Amino acid sequence: MSLPQPRLCMAFLLASLFASPAMAASEAPLQRADVIIANARVYTVNAEQAWAEAIAVRGDKILAVGGKAEISAYSGNGTRVIDAGGRLVLPGFTDCHMHFIDGSLSLTQVNLDDARTVAEIQQRVKDYAAAHPDLPWVEGRGWMYTAFSSSLPDKKYLDQIIPDRPVYLEGFDGHTWWANSKALQLAGITGATVDPAGGFFVRDPKTGEPDGVVKEDAADDVMRRAIPRPGKEQVLAALRRGLVEANRVGLVRAISADGVHVQGGDFEILDVYDELRRAGQLSVRFDVAMRIQPPALTREEMLRIENARERYHDDWVAAGKAKFFLDGVIETHTAAMLAPYTDDPSLSGNLLWDPDKYKQAVAELDAHGIQVFSHAIGDRAIRLALDAYEKAQTTNHTTDRRHRIEHIEDAAASDLSRFGKLGVIASFQPLHAYPDANDSKLWAGHVGPERAQRGWAWRSVKKSGGILAFGSDWPIVTQNPWAGVQTAVTRQTVEGEPEGGWLPNERLSVAEAIRGYTIDAAFAGHREQAEGSLEAGKLADLIVLSQDLFKIEPSEIGKTEVLLTMVGGRVVYESAAWSAARRKETK
Ligand SMILES: [Zn+2]
């Protein structure tokens, strides 16, 4: 730090010209570390040096990774030493598929995760509404189809508890919403309302009156307009909560798949992220995709993406990716399947895009160097995405675009090997495959026993050379990745069901699951040169964990706690227990 710049450069040049092992050992390193993580069990995710004992950090980058003696040589007067107490240290985790502003706002709304019955939902909504009398709308999320005897809610359950204030609740999967009568009234939805493209209002078969269930795009296009948009202060406050939560669970980068829930999602608030960055308050790195709307890619959309890419392309805030929704979800028979649903042969789901228009859009984005994400859950939608990526590659003679498919719940057998062949990134969210008896029974019943054999087939994709990019889909499920790692490894519920795991051949090892959140996640974002493993020269993004994932029972992985999170050389989170222990040591 005190060395004048020219001398430093010259010294560095000489050192690299004449470096020999003997010299490296006898002479002090040229650069001093700002921080040293010592006494650690470092799993680097770097194949050339899988394990180490310590890490030297300078500025926002890693100076060196190695043994105790080697790294302590980087220590100088101003070096802060963090004693990891022998704990496991990993690269910070990337969540490859989140809806960050939606999730952050949901932290401020009524949470219906784990509400198993209608009565339980009613109680929580009632309590929340009473505790927040000033909110014009009561919003929340997380209810499950299995709470209702008919698999779908009804406005009457909400009218019973809150008749005079609008209530609007999103289902756990982000594809179905639930409104009370007041909310429908404020949005102007009546029996005469025409369903919008890509969505609909479920109606009473006799009267034609909407029953409060809002499907797919009807939620965004019609209902959302009636709800006052959150102001900037509300957005900032929500994001700050979201950032704290992300760092608390060990996340250092979020790849935002953009908004299903809040119109425009993270792409619309890139300037807010940038403002947080400039104020030094951003503690998660962001890559943000923009959603392309059917029926076709427009010139305006292309311009918006390219302008965003030009403006935002650094380590902290980056845009210039495109997201498509090709279908819905299997639970509601809206995922596009090659053959009819087993439990209702009149349905096979629908593609939300005309295949030719979609392929054309993909080819055009590909030609402009824009990475494409396609939400594709059913085998028909997955095949269309693979076809489109293949066609773009051959037409444009492009390579290494790393286009992605999101979710991949049920691919056709012959398509699983195409991920590796075409270099398509498989963006899975392990917790979506959580084999809860209710959910997986519903899912498996819809696709039938033959197709259920290929549910979330991450091992099959990986075996054929495909790259797995793991994430949560927060707020669809928790952003805490440790439950995801456990599910990727066990394919069991926390109670250990089913025995041996659901489709046990698709299980991953702990190391493979970690890759999906680190180096392979970095690869999926074209960032493997700078992130995803702990190596000299890469960004100093790391986490210290409460337990050693390699030594515990797989069924314990979900209980992992993050003790410390460092992003760009800065400690952005320390658990209360950890910092209390540190304080005691320094006394
Ligand atoms: Zn999503």
Side-chain angles (χ1 to χ4, degrees), residues 317-544:
V317 184
K321 293 141 199 302
K323 164 95 185 273
F324 291 84
F325 275 86
L326 290 185
D327 66 348
V329 293
I330 283 166
E331 283 83 350
T332 59
H333 300 106
T334 51
M337 304 302 289
L338 292 163
Y341 282 96
T342 303
D343 64 326
D344 188 345
S346 72
L347 301 171
S348 54
N350 280 317
L351 289 173
L352 301 175
W353 274 78
D354 170 77
D356 288 331
K357 294 238 165 65
Y358 163 70
K359 281 185 199 169
Q360 223 172 353
V362 167
E364 209 174 319
L365 291 160
D366 178 273
H368 283 74
I370 291 166
Q371 189 186 24
V372 175
F373 301 16
S374 299
H375 164 120
I377 284 182
D379 49 13
R380 185 171 171 218
I382 295 167
R383 178 165 297 171
L384 172 60
L386 289 164
D387 288 350
Y389 295 163
E390 185 169 20
K391 184 162 180 259
Q393 262 175 40
T394 23
T395 321
N396 299 333
H397 306 287
T398 46
T399 55
D400 206 32
R401 285 285 190 256
R402 306 184 195 177
H403 297 313
R404 318 184 348 169
I405 302 184
E406 312 303 306
H407 312 313
I408 321 163
E409 292 192 7
D410 205 2
S414 59
D415 286 333
L416 289 168
S417 60
R418 294 177 72 197
F419 286 85
K421 246 175 254 155
L422 298 171
V424 172
I425 306 292
S427 169
F428 281 108
Q429 299 74 44
L431 212 49
H432 285 356
Y434 186 77
D436 176 89
N438 284 329
D439 305 328
S440 60
K441 223 188 271 168
L442 185 74
W443 186 95
H446 289 190
V447 298
E450 197 275 324
R451 290 181 289 194
Q453 293 306 305
R454 293 183 299 279
W456 292 272
W458 46 65
R459 157 71 65 198
S460 298
V461 168
K462 194 175 174 68
K463 229 174 9 199
S464 68
I467 298 286
L468 307 180
F470 280 166
S472 64
D473 209 4
W474 188 56
I476 307 299
V477 300
T478 169
Q479 59 166 300
N480 189 331
W482 308 105
V485 174
Q486 179 171 327
T487 307
V489 172
T490 65
R491 295 182 68 108
Q492 288 178 320
T493 64
V494 291
E495 293 84 18
E497 297 291 332
E499 209 182 314
W502 179 54
L503 310 179
N505 291 338
E506 298 294 345
R507 289 174 307 179
L508 298 178
S509 70
V510 169
E512 287 169 330
I514 289 172
R515 285 187 68 95
Y517 291 96
T518 56
I519 193 69
D520 288 348
F523 182 87
H526 292 271
R527 294 185 180 277
E528 74 280 11
Q529 301 296 333
E531 298 173 24
S533 61
L534 299 172
E535 302 179 45
K538 285 197 172 184
L539 289 169
D541 296 354
L542 58 86
I543 49 181
V544 181

